[in-house]
Amino acid sequence: MKEILQRIHAESKHASAHGSVASYIPALASARPEALGLAAVTAEGKIFAVGDARTRFTIQSISKVFALAYVMTELGEDAVFSRVGKEPTGDPFNSIIRLETSAGRKPFNPLINAGAIVVSGLMPGFSPEDKGARFRAFVGQLIGRKDVERDEAVYLSEKGTAARNRSIAWFLKELDLLPGEVEETLDVYFRQCAVSVDAVDLARAAAVLCLDGIDPVRGERVLEARTARVCKSLMVTCGMYDGSGEFAVDVGIPAKSGVGGGIMAAVRDRMGLGVYGPALDDRGNSAAGLDALRRLSEELDLRVL
Ligand code: GLU
């Protein structure tokens, strides 16, 4: 497995030249565009890591899967899906347009910003700090690490520049979908997006999803099976932004990407994969990461769709 990852790492590295690092959150612009890390955690609990797999980066949109799993665990499925749909949009992740034009006037799914902000608004806790800390503890359970941190520079950078997300949140407030204060809810959302992980962490969480809630490294259940399945289903249809359909056809694995350059992919019963490559294509997905996942899927016959 390690040799395969090493070879694919060498083959996919050049694909970073087809992308560029996100800069709409200013602090993200300092990432090394040529970085590429690949990690796998198998169903037997073996961990493989190559290249920049131990480089930390912010989880960004991948947090939306963990936040969904967290709120489903704490409050139940209905708490989320009475306020957010389960349908793909085909629009960019931060689009606001359908909130006004769709008949249901609720976000289409929890993996676009509008849906994710509603989910952040449901997180239990006394303050944004407390909610953020509890969320990080939950992520720590999934990835087997107690010291999950937030990248303070990225958090403050997003908080200081998020006009689009503020617009979305105020619109959600007007639709009566945010129980708390707008700025506090956004604070929780920025905190969750700024959680710092590496590709191995993503592979580890993906392995939990691939085994319907069992962590293969510790051999323990850390998530309800139903929760893991809901997350994976939404990852198939909505996980790769408006590139989800193409990814399903080309790679055929439930996956979620983030603008920090991460992708997590869960191969049913076989392995979790984590990728880091901060140069993004025009849909916001890691360019080298996509290339590597295409090659891995082909080489190891990982397609589950
Ligand atoms: N914090 C980012 C935002 O809301 C997350 C976006 C992403 O990774 O897609 O813009």
Side-chain angles (χ1 to χ4, degrees), residues 24-25 60-61 64 93 113 158 165 189 193 241 257-260:
Y24 77 101
I25 298 173
Q60 298 298 337
S61 260
K64 294 167 180 171
F93 65 98
N113 286 15
E158 179 164 23
N165 282 329
Y189 174 73
C193 288
Y241 308 118
S257 63
V259 294

Side-chain angles (χ1 to χ4, degrees), residues 36-67:
L36 178 61
L38 306 178
V41 174
T42 66
E44 296 74 38
K46 291 210 176 77
I47 301 175
F48 300 93
V50 305
D52 297 291
R54 293 286 184 185
T55 299
R56 291 270 167 94
F57 56 93
T58 52
I59 191 169
Q60 298 298 337
S61 260
I62 302 168
S63 72
K64 294 167 180 171
V65 175
F66 300 146

Side-chain angles (χ1 to χ4, degrees), residues 134-182:
R134 291 192 199 194
F135 174 68
R136 290 201 308 281
F138 177 82
V139 174
Q141 269 290 107
L142 296 184
I143 66 179
R145 217 158 45 77
K146 286 204 170 71
D147 56 344
V148 178
E149 285 164 358
R150 180 179 69 240
D151 183 322
E152 199 63 14
V154 173
Y155 158 64
L156 292 173
S157 181
E158 179 164 23
K159 193 171 159 129
T161 54
R164 166 69 69 131
N165 282 329
R166 284 198 170 79
S167 314
I168 291 173
W170 278 107
F171 208 107
L172 292 168
K173 187 74 184 166
E174 197 267 336
L175 295 177
D176 215 14
L177 290 169
L178 290 189
E181 290 300 317
V182 168

